[in-house]
Amino acid sequence: METKIIKIDKNQINEEVIKEAGALLREGKLVAFPTETVYGLGADALQEEAAKRTYEAKGRPSDNPLIVHIADYDDLKKIAINIPPETDMLAAHFWPGPLTMIFQKSDIVPYGTTGGLDTVAVRMPVDPIAQALIREAGGFVSAPSANTSGRPSPTTAQHVEEDLNGKIDMILDGGTVDIGLESTILDMTVSPPMILRPGAITEEMFEKVIGPVNVDQTLLSENSTQAPKAPGMKYRHYAPKAKLMIVEGDLREEILAIRQLAYEADRKGHPVGIIATSETLPFYNHGIVKNIGTRENEKSIARNLYGVLREFDEENVDTIYSESFAVQGMGTAIMNRLEKAAGHLRISASEVVKLQKYRRITFVSGTDSARGPMCAELLRHCDLKQEYVIDSRGMVVLFPEPANQKAEAVMKSVQMTLEGHSSLQLDPEEIQEDTLILTIDQSEKEKILAECDASENVYTLNEFTGDNTEIPDPYGKPLTAYGECLEVLERIIKKLADKLNSLMEEGKWEEQS
Ligand code: TXA
Ligand code: MG
């Protein structure tokens, strides 16, 4: 089947196009169209046969009911019965808009549309293209999200094309949707009404209009033995190809943990994907990082979520780590979709981070011109399980100077360089809880201990590595003395790397699911 793709502008709707699309729907055919939430796969809701085609095109289990979209509030009475009185208030506030309400169905709604249920889900979208199409099609258009079952819902016409090209009759391309997550579903057949799927209309917003509502408890705990009340919520929707894991903790720990996980993965030659935000983007230097939006505006995150998941399907990554978001307001819907996409896999950020006793390693020598910078450069070339900031400082640096030329010459002989090094005086303020200070001589250690109270993490290099070989001071001696010094340092720094790596090993973090 050839799928006709037609661009349409919601501010200047081309009536001819709507007529053509409406006619297709009346014939029982399938037309994908934009709504404010996600793109829908439209069919005439009152034709059993059309519902069948919908399930086929999506590859969706037919016990998963469809939402019937209307354009005029009066039409609700034709497809629903026993409509409770609060409905008027809710409709006045939230329709047209991203709210779906469930009622008992009337006889004109075929069981094919409701997946065999006696209830019907109804939504009145606000998108003008959707409204025009629904009216043209006769008033009742069933529309699940226009994705292949199991793929993220489409937020652009291109997403629909990726999944359904050749399987449906037409796609109306109205650009990128506004909200990006599916409508909130509210079950009106129980009292008080119950939220079956979180969305842009939140629990707090309902409460302001009709008082407290309930929330389907199976949404809150992934281990629930009960099936969720909206049949579609039981499927592992929105599944990206890669394994997605949500890293949970406070934001600082989440960043540190994801950095570590991405570093480890790069080291093993399997780059990972990272879902970051505008605010956290600059902190990542490993992996394939995508910006999902700004933490200042959760709506931007909702709008980009599915698009980012789809983009990762095009990347060669087999794991994606995502930061997490506060479960409140729109965040409830964001985390609900993210957790479903992750199949509820999560990692505790603090479990990862607690293994990182040190994050910065500073070598301290007298003038910071030879042995200190040599140690730093040697360590940078070691294979470390954790990423460290590695630098060097001096105890008596009057002004910044490049590295000693003989030191540079011996480093060059082992394919390393001190080029660009500039000596710096140690500033006690720089010593943080996670800084490991390693001095070349005992005298420097004593001086630091006397000058600042960072006693815990200050060691001589010999002491920390348990290697008692004296580190010779080549200053003022010929090049061979620098060469001998390098040999000693190479051995000790190798031991240092082993020790740091074994610290990481202790109590490896575990994935939780
Ligand atoms: O925002 C949306 O609601 C989008 C756009 C296209 O309007 N549509 C959408 O449809 O998300 P779909 O089919 O992907 O999701 C419909 C959800 C499913 O989880 C389904 O189980 C639930 O609504 N549902 C439909 N009828 C129901 C009923 N009678 N009782 C309980 N849940 C129902
Ligand atoms: Mg869907």
Side-chain angles (χ1 to χ4, degrees):
M1 174 191 310
E2 205 205 317
T3 304
K4 201 163 172 185
I5 303 172
I6 306 181
K7 279 213 186 330
I8 183 163
D9 179 356
K10 68 175 156 196
N11 299 310
Q12 214 180 334
I13 292 178
N14 182 336
E15 289 303 327
E16 290 305 306
V17 171
I18 294 295
K19 281 218 174 81
E20 191 184 344
L24 286 172
L25 290 177
R26 283 171 190 269
E27 288 167 33
K29 297 193 165 153
L30 305 181
V31 177
F33 62 98
T35 81
E36 67 276 23
T37 56
V38 298
Y39 271 75
L41 177 55
D44 184 341
L46 305 186
Q47 297 183 39
E48 187 103 46
E49 208 38 44
K52 232 187 190 164
R53 287 205 188 103
T54 308
Y55 290 116
E56 243 171 55
K58 273 181 68 80
R60 169 167 169 158
S62 59
D63 67 340
N64 190 358
L66 308 175
I67 295 172
V68 180
H69 295 64
I70 58 173
D72 296 291
Y73 187 46
D74 282 345
D75 284 343
L76 175 63
K77 294 195 287 285
K78 298 179 190 157
I79 51 172
I81 55 171
N82 297 331
I83 298 169
E86 307 98 292
T87 307
D88 282 342
M89 286 283 278
L90 288 169
H93 276 84
F94 305 119
W95 271 2
L99 169 64
T100 295
M101 289 192 269
I102 292 175
F103 306 97
Q104 250 140 34
K105 81 174 192 70
S106 76
D107 290 338
I108 68 164
V109 184
Y111 281 109
T113 299
T114 65
L117 299 176
D118 288 317
T119 52
V120 61
V122 187
R123 172 160 118 78
M124 191 164 138
V126 74
D127 186 289
I129 300 168
Q131 289 189 357
L133 180 65
I134 293 163
R135 289 200 181 100
E136 190 63 37
F140 304 97
V141 173
S142 61
S145 48
N147 52 289
T148 300
S149 200
R151 290 270 285 159
S153 291
T155 54
T156 66
Q158 288 69 42
H159 295 163
V160 180
E161 199 186 335
E162 275 168 30
D163 286 10
L164 300 178
N165 195 23
K167 296 181 176 161
I168 63 176
D169 300 276
M170 185 183 273
I171 300 172
L172 295 181
D173 179 355
T176 303
V177 300
D178 183 32
I179 295 174
L181 297 181
E182 305 85 345
S183 60
T184 306
I185 300 181
L186 190 65
D187 185 356
M188 300 300 289
T189 66
V190 291
S191 182
M194 183 185 280
I195 296 177
L196 306 190
R197 178 173 76 180
I201 311 293
T202 63
E203 187 181 354
E204 302 79 48
M205 290 159 82
F206 287 130
E207 185 154 354
K208 285 198 186 123
V209 177
I210 54 164
V213 297
N214 285 333
V215 178
D216 183 358
Q217 291 304 306
T218 61
L219 293 180
L220 305 175
S221 83
E222 67 268 21
N223 306 324
S224 174
T225 48
Q226 274 174 310
K229 296 196 167 51
M233 297 297 278
K234 72 172 176 267
Y235 297 106
R236 185 181 165 202
H237 267 184
Y238 331 119
K241 285 184 196 147
K243 173 165 145 188
L244 170 65
M245 283 187 265
I246 303 173
V247 179
E248 289 181 326
D250 67 47
L251 187 56
R252 181 181 166 273
E253 283 185 334
E254 284 177 16
I255 296 168
L256 288 171
I258 294 174
R259 279 177 60 115
Q260 171 61 27
L261 295 165
Y263 172 84
E264 266 177 40
D266 260 19
R267 191 171 163 262
K268 289 178 193 144
H270 301 294
V272 295
I274 297 175
I275 296 182
T277 50
S278 311
E279 290 76 12
T280 59
L281 211 58
F283 295 106
Y284 300 111
N285 49 357
H286 293 277
I288 294 166
V289 192
K290 293 197 191 285
N291 184 357
I292 196 178
T294 166
R295 287 179 175 270
E296 307 250 293
N297 177 8
E298 287 194 312
K299 285 187 179 152
S300 69
I301 295 172
R303 195 178 300 133
N304 293 328
L305 174 60
Y306 289 143
V308 164
L309 291 179
R310 277 178 183 263
E311 278 178 35
F312 271 123
D313 282 350
E314 305 295 311
E315 303 280 358
N316 187 20
V317 295
D318 42 36
T319 308
I320 305 167
Y321 295 108
S322 177
E323 296 173 5
S324 54
F325 303 95
V327 181
Q328 60 187 42
M330 193 68 181
T332 309
I334 293 171
M335 284 307 286
N336 169 265
R337 305 305 196 278
L338 205 50
E339 284 186 1
K340 278 165 82 65
H344 298 285
L345 278 180
R346 60 185 111 213
I347 291 174
S348 152
S350 61
E351 289 289 305
V352 178
V353 170
K354 80 174 183 212
L355 298 179
Q356 305 186 324
K357 187 162 161 53
Y358 307 114
R359 289 197 191 84
R360 178 171 171 201
I361 299 171
T362 302
F363 294 94
V364 178
S365 60
T367 57
D368 189 32
S369 61
R371 290 179 295 171
M374 285 165 81
C375 287
E377 193 56 14
L378 286 166
L379 186 60
R380 285 185 204 112
H381 280 77
C382 291
D383 184 23
L384 297 169
K385 288 184 182 159
Q386 185 194 323
E387 194 179 20
Y388 301 91
V389 175
I390 300 169
D391 53 17
S392 64
R393 293 288 185 267
M395 296 304 288
V396 278
V397 181
L398 300 179
F399 44 86
E401 274 189 292
N404 176 297
Q405 285 182 6
K406 289 177 193 162
E408 167 68 353
V410 293
M411 289 299 276
K412 279 250 165 76
S413 73
V414 289
Q415 283 78 49
M416 293 183 210
T417 177
L418 303 178
E419 217 175 74
H421 173 75
S422 181
S423 57
L424 266 179
Q425 174 77 25
L426 176 71
D427 174 0
E429 300 275 302
E430 286 183 307
I431 305 176
Q432 306 283 326
E433 252 179 56
D434 59 3
T435 311
L436 172 63
I437 300 277
L438 295 173
T439 69
I440 306 297
D441 295 319
Q442 178 68 22
S443 62
E444 289 130 11
K445 177 183 168 181
E446 279 160 19
K447 211 163 159 203
I448 295 170
L449 292 182
E451 281 173 19
C452 55
D453 43 32
S455 56
E456 261 194 54
N457 298 338
V458 185
Y459 302 88
T460 66
L461 199 46
N462 286 136
E463 186 182 14
F464 191 78
T465 56
D467 184 315
N468 291 324
T469 323
E470 196 190 319
I471 303 171
D473 184 358
Y475 186 72
K477 295 185 183 155
L479 195 60
T480 48
Y482 282 84
E484 281 158 22
C485 174
L486 175 62
E487 269 176 34
V488 174
L489 291 180
E490 276 183 311
R491 235 202 29 242
I492 295 186
I493 296 300
K494 172 82 189 41
K495 279 199 178 165
L496 172 62
D498 290 345
K499 167 133 188 194
L500 291 169
N501 284 343
S502 70
L503 283 177
M504 270 303 286
E505 203 70 336
E506 287 164 20
K508 191 97 181 92
W509 55 271
E510 275 167 33
E511 268 169 34
Q512 303 165 359
S513 66

